[in-house]
């Protein structure tokens, strides 16, 4: 590799800036076959600010992926950068394992101030490894320790991570098939109105899902041994942006509480204002036994925690550890992000802008029959693409169109818009703009998306 000229000061040589195509070529050669976003978006970002990303080729993109929901304030927000610079300039240790520190204390204070009051009043927090999947593992181990039980209840369409325990809880069959079993998990139906597992849809489908869960747990011949916990998402993200009805969430809380089953809510993607409330559980008013948090709580840097009711704090020292659970910079950036979201009403703003975007997307669905469903909560939106020529099912849903979704994603990128896919057949366009998105940017996103869908549906680019 060619090296840039280095001053004769003894400093280490640094690689010269390589053209984007050369970097992409080396990535394909060097990195594993498991890479994902790099396949969807063959660009090399060199600069980013807010919602805008600039590639090495000079092209600019509106980013509706936001680090899979990590960037609540967008790229390089001044509040986040200032918190990082202040921490660096202070000389604070950047790696602390689980030692006490001013930055950790401040983050914990900001976090607890942001939690639903009834939940946060008597809660404990455990700092995990840097990813949400580790926090899921920690939450599951915590409840296994507290209850003395081993199994878990999870849901169709769920996504909780890629490590062994979290993967066992995840619903996606494709990523589980090559691996040995990951423990006993009972899979319950998640209320998915457009593709209702009971073929009725709407409120009736959600009520059937709750009834099924309750009766299965009470059936002495149902085959379900009382589990250590139930885990769910208030809005399924990777599952296709499927919001759970508030009534169903309240039913799950009642069912688990009556049977002594701890309820874990995975807020990794829904937290920090994303759904129009600081935490997605606030829409339904439920009080879980534990919440799993990551992504946006680190202000763009790696951080994950599990917060839980203090009566479950039955761990022995060292029961769940991790070398990188003391990320000082992430704690500083996270505290700044949590306070900024609260002080500037960004959760409320997300609810308002998200509602406007849904309204326009639903109007677009009336013009473009390839749009089967539009759904979401706050700035967590999904557009499900279908085959308009196929026969609808009993709920009026037509077959998913994953090949079309790929074409739309490509057409979006060509128009300077980054959107990713999700859902059961990877046929759902997922929109996760930062909470700081302006009205003008939201309009531009919808204009580019509408043009891309129309072009892809017509077979054009």
């Amino acid at each position: 590799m060619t090296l840039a000229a280095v001053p004769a000061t003894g400093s280490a040589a640094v690689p010269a800036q390589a053209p984007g195509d050369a970097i992409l070529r080396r990535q394909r050669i060097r990195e594993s076959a498991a890479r994902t976003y790099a396949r969807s978006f063959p660009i090399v970002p060199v600069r980013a600010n807010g919602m805008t990303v600039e590639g090495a080729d000079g092209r600019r993109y509106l980013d509706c992926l936001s680090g899979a929901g990590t960037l609540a304030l967008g790229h390089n927000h001044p509040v986040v950068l200032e918190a990082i610079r202040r921490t660096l300039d202070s000389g604070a240790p950047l790696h602390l394992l689980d030692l006490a520190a001013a930055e950790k204390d401040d983050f914990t204070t900001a976090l607890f101030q942001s939690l639903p009051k009834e939940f946060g009043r008597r809660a404990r927090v455990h700092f995990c490894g840097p990813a949400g999947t580790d926090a899921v593992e920690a939450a599951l181990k915590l409840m296994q320790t507290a209850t003395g039980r081993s199994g878990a209840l999870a849901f169709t369409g769920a996504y909780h991570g890629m490590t062994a325990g979290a993967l066992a809880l995840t619903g996606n069959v494709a990523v589980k098939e090559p691996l040995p079993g990951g423990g006993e998990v009972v899979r319950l139906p998640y209320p998915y109105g457009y593709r209702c597992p009971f073929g009725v849809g709407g409120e009736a489908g959600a009520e059937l899902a709750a009834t099924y869960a309750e009766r299965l747990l009470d059936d002495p011949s149902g085959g379900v041994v009382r589990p250590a916990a139930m885990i769910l998402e208030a809005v399924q993200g990777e599952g296709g942006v499927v919001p759970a009805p508030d009534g169903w969430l309240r039913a799950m809380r009642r069912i688990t509480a009556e049977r002594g089953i701890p309820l874990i809510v995975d807020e990794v993607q829904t937290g920090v204002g994303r759904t129009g409330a600081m935490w997605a559980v606030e829409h339904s008013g439920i009080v879980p036994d534990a919440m799993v948090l990551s992504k946006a709580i680190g202000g763009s840097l790696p951080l994950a925690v599990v917060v839980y009711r203090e009566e479950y704090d039955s761990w022995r020292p060292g029961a769940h550890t991790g070398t990188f659970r003391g990320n000082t910079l992430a704690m500083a950036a996270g505290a700044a992000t949590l306070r900024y979201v609260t002080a500037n009403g960004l959760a409320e703003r997300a609810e308002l802008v998200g509602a406007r975007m849904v309204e326009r997307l639903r109007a677009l669905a009336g013009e473009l029959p390839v749009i089967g469903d539009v759904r979401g909560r706050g700035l967590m939106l999904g557009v499900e693409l279908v085959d308009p020529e196929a026969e609808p099912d009993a709920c009026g849903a037509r077959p998913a169109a994953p090949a079309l979704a790929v074409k739309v994603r490509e057409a979006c990128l060509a128009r300077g818009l980054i959107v990713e896919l999700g859902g059961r057949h990877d046929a759902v366009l997922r929109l996760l703009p930062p909470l700081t998105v302006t009205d003008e940017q939201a309009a531009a996103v919808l204009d580019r998306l509408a043009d891309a869908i129309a072009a892809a549906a017509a077979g054009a680019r």
Side-chain angles (χ1 to χ4, degrees):
M1 181 185 296
T2 303
L3 300 180
V6 180
T9 59
S11 59
V14 295
Q17 178 65 46
D21 57 350
I23 294 174
L24 290 171
R25 185 171 61 252
R26 286 194 290 273
Q27 182 185 42
R28 288 192 295 270
I29 294 171
R30 294 169 173 173
E31 293 189 23
S32 82
R35 66 191 186 280
T36 53
Y37 299 112
R39 296 179 187 274
S40 304
F41 311 109
I43 60 176
V44 179
V46 293
R47 275 173 293 277
N49 180 264
M51 194 177 177
T52 303
V53 172
E54 183 179 337
D57 58 359
R59 296 194 63 201
R60 294 163 69 103
Y61 304 86
L62 288 176
D63 183 5
C64 262
L65 179 58
S66 298
T70 299
L71 305 172
L73 305 183
H75 295 273
N76 294 321
H77 192 279
V79 165
V80 172
L81 295 182
E82 196 279 330
I84 293 172
R85 290 192 185 103
R86 183 177 64 247
T87 305
L88 287 171
D89 292 343
S90 74
L94 302 183
H95 185 283
L96 284 169
L97 298 171
D98 67 351
L99 297 176
E103 293 79 11
K104 186 179 190 178
D105 181 64
D106 186 56
F107 170 81
T108 304
T109 298
L111 176 63
F112 273 59
Q113 288 173 342
S114 77
L115 293 172
K117 289 184 179 178
E118 189 177 348
F119 178 64
R121 190 178 300 118
R122 296 176 60 231
R124 296 288 181 95
V125 61
H126 181 76
F127 289 80
C128 310
T133 187
D134 190 70
V136 169
E137 299 278 358
L140 190 59
K141 285 171 61 177
L142 173 72
M143 296 311 179
Q144 290 171 336
T145 303
T147 64
R149 304 192 291 263
S150 61
L153 302 172
F155 291 88
T156 54
Y159 180 80
H160 298 292
M162 286 289 180
T163 51
L167 188 60
L169 300 168
T170 293
N172 189 326
V173 174
V175 296
K176 293 154 63 81
E177 275 184 332
L179 304 173
E184 184 171 347
V185 174
V186 174
R187 191 77 50 187
L188 298 171
Y190 193 87
Y192 181 2
Y194 186 64
R195 300 193 185 279
C196 176
F198 300 101
V200 296
E203 197 172 307
E207 291 175 357
L208 280 173
T211 300
Y212 176 88
E214 186 164 22
R215 293 191 178 179
L216 179 65
L217 293 175
D218 289 344
D219 185 349
S221 295
V224 181
V225 177
R226 195 157 64 130
M230 172 189 283
I231 185 167
L232 58 80
E233 300 156 275
V235 182
Q236 289 189 340
E238 303 298 324
V241 194
V242 184
D246 291 339
W248 178 84
L249 286 169
R250 287 190 283 267
M252 292 303 102
R253 175 67 285 191
R254 175 187 60 79
I255 289 167
T256 52
E258 289 175 353
R259 290 156 183 79
I261 301 171
L263 176 63
I264 303 168
V265 177
D266 183 337
E267 290 256 16
V268 168
Q269 191 167 111
T270 55
V272 194
R274 170 61 56 188
T275 67
M278 194 66 179
W279 307 103
V281 294
E282 294 180 273
H283 295 291
S284 63
I286 67 169
V287 181
D289 297 299
M291 285 169 54
V292 176
L293 315 176
S294 187
K295 291 190 185 293
I297 66 163
S300 76
L301 299 179
L303 186 62
V305 302
V306 54
V307 185
Y308 53 93
R309 289 167 49 192
E310 63 182 3
E311 54 262 44
Y312 290 103
D313 196 27
S314 56
W315 270 341
R316 294 179 179 178
H320 193 81
T321 63
T323 302
F324 292 102
R325 54 193 164 136
N327 188 332
T328 307
L329 290 180
M331 291 171 187
T337 298
L338 289 166
R339 292 194 172 105
Y340 189 88
V341 169
T342 300
N344 291 274
L346 293 190
E348 294 80 4
R349 167 75 178 165
E351 184 174 32
L352 177 65
V353 177
R356 290 175 184 164
M357 293 179 74
V358 164
E359 183 179 8
R360 184 171 168 195
L361 286 167
R362 286 180 175 158
L364 183 65
E367 304 169 14
L368 297 173
V370 295
I371 299 178
D373 193 35
V374 174
R375 55 183 179 262
R377 203 151 202 178
L379 286 173
M380 191 171 181
L381 307 174
V383 179
E384 184 157 354
L385 301 181
V386 299
D387 177 359
E389 305 300 324
E391 288 296 316
D393 65 15
C395 295
R398 300 182 189 277
L404 173 63
V406 171
K407 292 179 181 177
V408 171
R409 181 177 63 192
E410 293 172 350
C412 283
L413 194 65
R415 288 158 176 78
L417 177 63
I418 296 173
V419 298
E420 186 52 301
L421 308 179
R424 304 301 203 274
H425 303 281
D426 275 340
V428 178
L429 304 171
R430 300 178 57 216
L431 304 178
L432 293 165
L435 309 187
T436 53
V437 60
T438 66
D439 291 342
E440 293 76 15
Q441 288 173 328
V445 166
L446 295 176
D447 287 343
R448 297 179 193 187
L449 181 64
D451 189 51
I453 295 174
R461 287 295 298 273

